[in-house]
Amino acid sequence: MTTGTMPREGGAVRPLANVRVFVAGGTGNVGRELVSALIAAGATTAVSSRSAAKLAALRAHVGGSTSEAAAERLVTIDGDVADTADSSRVLSVALERLGGLEAAVASLGTFVPTESLLAAATTDLRRVLDSYVLAHHTVARTLIPALQEQAGSYVIINGMLGHGYMFPGAALVSVAGAAQAHWARLLMMELEQTNVRANEVVVYSSFGRPDDDERNRGRVGKSDVTGFVVQLLSAAGAAVRGRSLHLKSGDVMQVLGAAAGSAMGGDPDDGRQVRRQP
């Protein structure tokens, strides 16, 4: 999506200059950091929420972490792109205000703790499935057709609970995350022969508590995740598609480099490229 010499803003390289991005879940713990990183990288970024307080908090967060000029590239929309009753309207508003769409990132899901799987109410399981699988499905059905007009890129954020890791109290999210992971693989397979480049980013850390830094010591941090997604959406990740990209620890950019090398005939990364079986 970006080629040639990278534009600069205030001396900083902007790998996503002139790229228009929609972030579903952009007011969440990881989402707001991702929005700030995308805007700092030059992208004009849209986020929707029905909560005026969450959108105001996002604007304040972006304003405090970027320049005033960069913060003007944040577009906030009153509504819910993950709600089937509102998603089309939100997309229309986004396209009107952005003028088009080259990329989208979906970082969705509500953590509902439970003592055990059998102790969890069916309504709790339904709530978690709604916020992970069904929300991702609605967002993809809404945004991907718009991305097809620009040969865009789609990124699905998932966690380690969806890829075989299980912890006490996290049974419901493990179930929903595994379903989301399988859904993501099928989506990437379906998009393989289209002009939309889709990838899943799997984060091996958990965020949302005051002791995040201590709990995630030795794993990836928020800045690792957001920096990786920025590069994945930039020219550096243009050859990467149909991948589950696992961010565990160390230099996460090695994962991107390995995936890009594999796409061009080099060594594969630790993610799997989805292939349709003959």
Side-chain angles (χ1 to χ4, degrees):
M1 291 182 296
T2 57
T3 57
T5 303
M6 289 191 181
R8 294 176 176 268
E9 181 175 84
V13 174
R14 296 191 299 147
L16 297 180
N18 303 317
V19 176
R20 297 160 294 186
V21 186
F22 194 109
V23 179
T27 60
N29 292 314
V30 175
R32 62 174 172 261
E33 301 296 338
L34 179 57
V35 169
S36 291
L38 290 168
I39 289 173
T44 300
T45 306
V47 178
S48 70
S49 175
R50 286 199 176 121
S51 170
K54 287 183 178 180
L55 290 177
L58 176 63
R59 285 191 290 269
H61 179 76
V62 171
S65 60
T66 62
S67 68
E68 182 177 348
E72 292 179 357
R73 293 196 293 273
L74 172 62
V75 175
T76 57
I77 301 169
D78 177 21
D80 186 359
V81 73
D83 183 348
T84 56
D86 199 27
S87 56
S88 295
R89 183 194 65 82
V90 170
L91 175 62
S92 295
V93 173
L95 291 177
E96 179 180 355
R97 295 180 64 183
L98 294 175
L101 195 64
E102 282 87 23
V105 183
S107 177
L108 303 164
T110 300
F111 185 88
V112 177
T114 182
E115 293 182 3
S116 72
L117 193 59
L118 292 179
T122 301
T123 52
D124 288 336
L125 178 57
R126 182 177 295 114
R127 176 186 170 196
V128 176
L129 289 172
D130 281 349
S131 72
Y132 281 84
V133 186
L134 299 185
H136 272 283
H137 188 66
T138 299
V139 169
R141 280 174 50 84
T142 302
L143 299 181
I144 287 176
L147 293 174
Q148 289 174 327
E149 297 182 10
Q150 303 289 340
S153 180
Y154 193 78
V155 175
I156 304 152
I157 306 293
N158 201 351
M160 55 186 168
L161 292 175
H163 285 260
Y165 281 71
M166 300 180 191
F167 300 102
L172 297 183
V173 177
S174 293
V175 171
Q180 177 188 321
H182 196 68
W183 172 89
R185 292 188 187 105
L186 291 169
L187 178 68
M188 291 187 290
M189 181 180 70
E190 290 187 6
L191 293 175
E192 188 179 25
Q193 301 302 322
T194 74
N195 64 351
V196 174
R197 182 171 62 91
N199 292 284
E200 178 192 34
V201 173
V202 184
V203 180
Y204 284 73
S205 294
S206 58
F207 304 110
R209 286 169 33 178
D211 61 343
D212 278 349
D213 290 341
E214 181 63 29
R215 288 185 305 115
N216 293 326
R217 190 177 301 278
R219 300 177 181 170
V220 294
K222 289 180 184 177
S223 61
D224 298 313
V225 177
T226 59
F228 182 87
V229 173
V230 165
Q231 293 302 311
L232 180 60
L233 293 178
S234 75
V240 182
R241 64 183 299 147
R243 291 276 180 175
S244 289
L245 302 162
H246 297 249
L247 308 187
K248 297 180 180 179
S249 60
D251 184 1
V252 297
M253 293 308 169
Q254 291 180 355
V255 177
L256 184 63
S262 176
M264 294 182 288
D267 294 331
D269 64 354
D270 65 341
R272 70 181 67 184
Q273 187 163 22
V274 180
R275 293 293 185 189
R276 187 184 301 273
Q277 297 300 313

